[in-house]
Amino acid sequence: MRDVLDATPYDALLLLSFGGPEGPDDVVPFLENVTRGRGIPKERLKEVGQHYFLFGGVSPINDQNRALLDALRKDFADHGLDLPIYWGNRNWAPYLTDTLREMVADGRRHILVLATSAYASYSGCRQYRENLADSLAELAAEGLAPPKVDKLRHYFNHPGFLEPMIEGVLHSLADLPEDVRDGAHLAFSTHSIPNAAADGSGPVEDHGDGGAYVKQHLDTARLVADAVRERTGVDHPWQLVYQSRSGAPHIPWLEPDICDHLEERHAAGVPAVVMAPIGFVSDHMEVLYDLDTEAKAKAEELGLPVRRSATVGADPRFAAAIRELVLERAQAESGVEVAPCALGQLGASHNLCPVGCCPARAPRPAAAGADSPYA
């Protein structure tokens, strides 16, 4: 008889994601949600939305979250973990507030949150926590008792997140022509953010010089590159690069850009490149457009062989990692001493975001942290 796993004190898991349009008519309203308060004209949003229109106005993220939900529910059921899983988005249906309202109606009182972002940053962590606080305040204003909400720690260095990426790079290398394979360069790609946001990412002691955002990505890239070397016997050179910049030109953002990097590597005589999108949990629009469309077009222009490795997506190993993280956090909350599972130089991330972690541009309440107004 299998063991029955216990997630007490938690009575539900919430998958919290960004959201995305599911048809052409959704694109501009979705972008209005994303940019609310910035005063961006609708005509400009239509221009920004061209990336979505190239794919029929559909972001892949919602279907990918549905696949992840299925994988998590299967893994939990297969391993005897009786924990219901819900899904809410920041910017599109199912909206976070609606989902939390449903959870309260279902009697959920202590919720654990899985965000579809593996790294520390304002947009990848703190902003999700602010959205949670906004939704909890809305429930309170409706006369509902807000549930207690905690957030799973960053999982960038968990083996279940790393192994599918390692395997993806190995498959991409094997798919390259044999005469360029051993000389291939690994370009580990993530979303560019303003330098100031990167410098302020993570706890206060990590601030400066790219902050926790850059440190965590470098640790992930190093772990993947080391594993590839161990399994192939080839030491591929690698670099952390960035994509999807969207800010004003005068504001410094993290560089180099992936397309600039491809040009530089080609000029240096590199025979091939594997682009590994380690900053993304699944094939978001940024991956489909900035890598599969724009960067591949640049490589074709250069005559440079490139392959793009797979993201983690709904890989069963990732679902198993989430189960392990849920149980790890549940034990810690119950006062049980646990040894967190993490690889690399940085160790396991904090369970509770400390004061000053990934500070907001303007002070706003944030749930699931040491400064949360909701105990």
Side-chain angles (χ1 to χ4, degrees):
M1 181 179 294
R2 70 183 179 188
D3 293 335
V4 176
L5 302 179
D6 186 5
T8 304
Y10 298 106
D11 54 18
L13 177 68
L14 168 63
L15 176 66
L16 176 55
S17 194
F18 192 80
E22 302 208 68
D25 293 342
D26 296 343
V27 172
V28 171
F30 163 73
L31 292 173
E32 287 175 333
N33 288 342
V34 174
T35 62
R36 183 174 287 115
R38 301 183 201 173
I40 299 176
K42 183 171 289 189
E43 290 307 311
R44 174 57 181 151
L45 293 179
K46 289 180 181 178
E47 294 175 19
V48 173
Q50 288 307 311
H51 294 180
Y52 291 97
F53 292 126
L54 286 174
F55 296 90
V58 178
S59 168
I61 193 171
N62 287 333
D63 276 347
Q64 289 162 4
N65 280 327
R66 293 182 184 103
L68 179 56
L69 287 167
D70 288 344
L72 290 170
R73 286 169 178 148
K74 182 179 187 307
D75 180 271
F76 284 16
D78 287 349
H79 290 85
L81 177 57
D82 184 15
L83 188 69
I85 307 173
Y86 296 75
W87 172 32
N89 290 324
R90 281 165 47 173
N91 299 300
W92 202 249
Y95 288 103
L96 172 60
T97 303
D98 294 337
T99 300
L100 284 173
R101 190 182 294 113
E102 176 190 356
M103 296 176 83
V104 169
D106 289 346
R108 312 304 176 194
R109 299 304 309 152
H110 198 168
I111 298 166
L112 194 53
V113 176
L114 163 64
T116 54
S117 174
Y119 303 88
S121 71
Y122 173 75
S123 58
C125 185
R126 172 91 192 185
Q127 193 170 14
Y128 281 110
R129 294 175 49 226
E130 291 176 353
N131 296 145
L132 283 165
D134 291 343
S135 293
L136 293 172
E138 191 168 338
L139 296 185
E142 296 171 4
L144 300 174
K148 178 173 172 51
V149 175
D150 293 326
K151 180 178 173 293
L152 283 176
R153 65 175 173 87
H154 302 301
Y155 44 84
F156 64 93
N157 56 4
H158 193 287
F161 184 67
L162 290 164
E163 188 58 38
M165 291 192 291
I166 295 165
E167 187 175 278
V169 172
L170 291 170
H171 284 168
S172 292
L173 285 168
D175 192 48
L176 283 168
E178 189 174 355
D179 61 331
V180 300
R181 187 179 303 150
D182 286 354
H185 172 88
L186 308 181
F188 294 106
S189 184
T190 190
H191 208 300
S192 185
I193 61 175
N195 287 7
D199 290 346
S201 59
V204 173
E205 59 268 24
D206 285 339
H207 290 181
D209 195 25
Y213 187 75
V214 171
K215 291 185 181 73
Q216 291 173 358
H217 279 89
L218 285 172
D219 205 36
T220 299
R222 188 176 298 109
L223 285 163
V224 174
D226 287 350
V228 169
R229 183 185 65 251
E230 290 167 5
R231 299 181 197 186
T232 64
V234 179
D235 191 7
H236 292 274
W238 62 271
Q239 186 170 339
L240 180 63
V241 301
Y242 302 93
Q243 61 176 91
S244 313
R245 176 189 169 127
S246 59
H250 68 280
I251 298 175
W253 282 52
L254 293 173
E255 296 178 334
D257 175 77
I258 179 62
C259 289
D260 294 339
H261 183 66
L262 292 177
E263 288 187 337
E264 292 166 359
R265 293 299 84 208
H266 179 256
V270 167
V273 174
V274 170
M275 302 182 294
I278 61 171
F280 303 89
V281 172
S282 57
D283 287 5
H284 301 172
M285 181 57 69
E286 293 91 339
V287 175
L288 293 187
Y289 183 80
D290 296 313
L291 295 185
D292 290 355
T293 306
E294 194 172 48
K296 284 189 176 179
K298 171 59 69 175
E300 186 175 347
E301 173 192 319
L302 296 168
L304 177 66
V306 297
R307 298 292 186 271
R308 195 270 286 177
S309 67
T311 51
V312 172
D315 190 287
R317 290 165 292 189
F318 181 46
I322 299 307
R323 168 175 41 85
E324 291 170 9
L325 289 168
V326 166
L327 295 172
E328 172 195 298
R329 182 63 184 272
Q331 289 176 313
E333 287 295 306
S334 300
V336 178
E337 187 173 341
V338 293
C341 186
L343 302 177
Q345 301 174 359
L346 300 181
S349 186
H350 47 260
N351 277 333
L352 192 68
C353 291
V355 175
C357 193
C358 303
R361 291 175 287 251
R364 285 179 57 192
D371 54 355
S372 172
Y374 299 95

